[in-house]
Amino acid sequence: KVVTVNHISNALGIINPIKYIIDKAHAVGSAVLIDGAQAVPHLKPDVQELDCDFYAFSGHKMCGPTGTGILYGKEEWLNKLPPYQGGGEMIKEVTFEKTTYADLPHKFEAGTPNIAGGIVLGTAIDYLNNIGFENIQEYEHELLEYATKRLSEIEGLRIYGTGKNKASVVSFNIDGIHPYDIGSIIDKLGIAVRTGHHCAQPIMNFFCIPGTIRASFSFYNTKEEIDLMVDAVKKAQTMLS
């Protein structure tokens, strides 16, 4: 009934062919929900061109405040769906006999919304638009290629997710060393990476690994920072070998 897929894999950085998936799903009558949390900081999705039924993302991934996000939905679907909670402003009329709900989008916005968070999220989106998503994509791709090249110089290092279309994420392991151990040491050296399943344990099982070390790069990162990360990984490898 519903096909859901992430726009960009948070575990591997691969940009999934979601337009192809959406078209295939619609061909058999399924609705499609796209998780765009990892995509919106790096590219500018066009929900009308994609023709997805729903597209969701979180604000803190795009320089906005935590606890904010956006859910896009086609009007026909939003009209079909019942409210998920009750409260002020989401009703049109209430009697002892029946309740009718307010028009979109109010029937889904019970009570006082996160007004301050919404304003700041709008400011964050303006900030990214002013930088320009084409500029962000171009620079982050440059960082991705540089990081991939530098990390590949480390003996015994394997990168997971080597598809052609990628966001600026590199997930990797070093032979014989648990990813948590590498992550813990380079954290003490001031390098912020994430280790573990990345909420994607099935793909870790597919690769038969306990997790990965994931380095994510944004437009505010530099090649010098990548060099520092590579030096830290080499130091951790020496300590743990």
Side-chain angles (χ1 to χ4, degrees):
K1 294 182 178 180
V2 178
V3 171
T4 183
V5 63
N6 48 12
H7 195 156
I8 295 178
S9 168
N10 68 308
L12 304 177
I14 299 295
I15 302 174
N16 289 317
I18 59 167
K19 177 58 178 171
Y20 173 83
I21 294 171
I22 291 166
D23 291 344
K24 287 291 185 182
H26 283 167
V28 295
S30 175
V32 184
L33 165 63
I34 302 298
D35 174 1
Q38 321 303 328
V40 289
H42 308 291
L43 48 85
K44 199 170 185 177
D46 185 331
V47 293
Q48 292 179 325
E49 182 182 348
L50 292 171
D51 195 31
C52 56
D53 300 289
F54 301 95
Y55 195 102
F57 61 89
S58 51
H60 72 274
K61 294 287 187 180
M62 53 188 320
C63 305
T66 54
T68 64
I70 288 178
L71 170 63
Y72 159 83
K74 285 184 176 177
E75 187 175 4
E76 59 180 294
W77 275 108
L78 295 178
N79 278 323
K80 290 178 187 178
L81 294 174
Y84 73 99
Q85 63 180 2
E89 297 295 329
M90 51 77 65
I91 54 91
K92 182 178 290 183
E93 184 179 6
V94 175
T95 67
F96 285 110
E97 290 74 32
K98 67 175 183 177
T99 298
T100 55
Y101 300 116
D103 294 332
L104 295 173
H106 303 289
K107 77 172 184 177
F108 294 115
E109 297 183 357
T112 304
N114 182 2
I115 299 168
I119 292 170
V120 180
L121 176 57
T123 301
I125 293 171
D126 289 341
Y127 171 65
L128 292 177
N129 278 324
N130 286 334
I131 295 172
F133 279 89
E134 288 185 1
N135 296 327
I136 291 172
Q137 281 182 275
E138 183 179 350
Y139 179 66
E140 288 180 348
H141 183 71
E142 186 178 330
L143 291 179
L144 172 65
E145 289 192 325
Y146 184 76
T148 302
K149 177 178 178 295
R150 287 299 326 274
L151 287 167
S152 297
E153 297 169 1
I154 299 175
E155 186 175 352
L157 186 144
R158 178 181 175 184
I159 293 174
Y160 298 88
T162 55
K164 182 180 178 181
N165 296 318
K166 280 191 67 174
S168 48
V169 170
V170 182
S171 286
F172 62 94
N173 277 333
I174 295 178
D175 290 343
I177 303 175
H178 198 286
Y180 289 149
D181 296 336
I182 294 284
S184 296
I185 289 175
I186 68 174
D187 174 59
K188 299 298 184 183
L189 298 173
I191 306 299
V193 296
R194 186 175 177 186
T195 59
H197 298 139
H198 316 299
C199 303
Q201 190 170 359
I203 203 164
M204 303 303 157
N205 294 338
F206 173 80
F207 286 118
C208 300
I209 55 176
T212 67
I213 305 148
R214 185 187 68 191
S216 306
F217 309 106
S218 190
F219 60 88
Y220 46 74
N221 289 121
T222 65
K223 291 180 180 178
E224 289 74 21
E225 289 174 332
I226 292 171
D227 291 334
L228 291 172
M229 179 190 71
V230 171
D231 290 342
V233 171
K234 288 179 178 178
K235 185 172 183 178
Q237 182 184 31
T238 300
M239 293 172 64
L240 295 166
S241 296

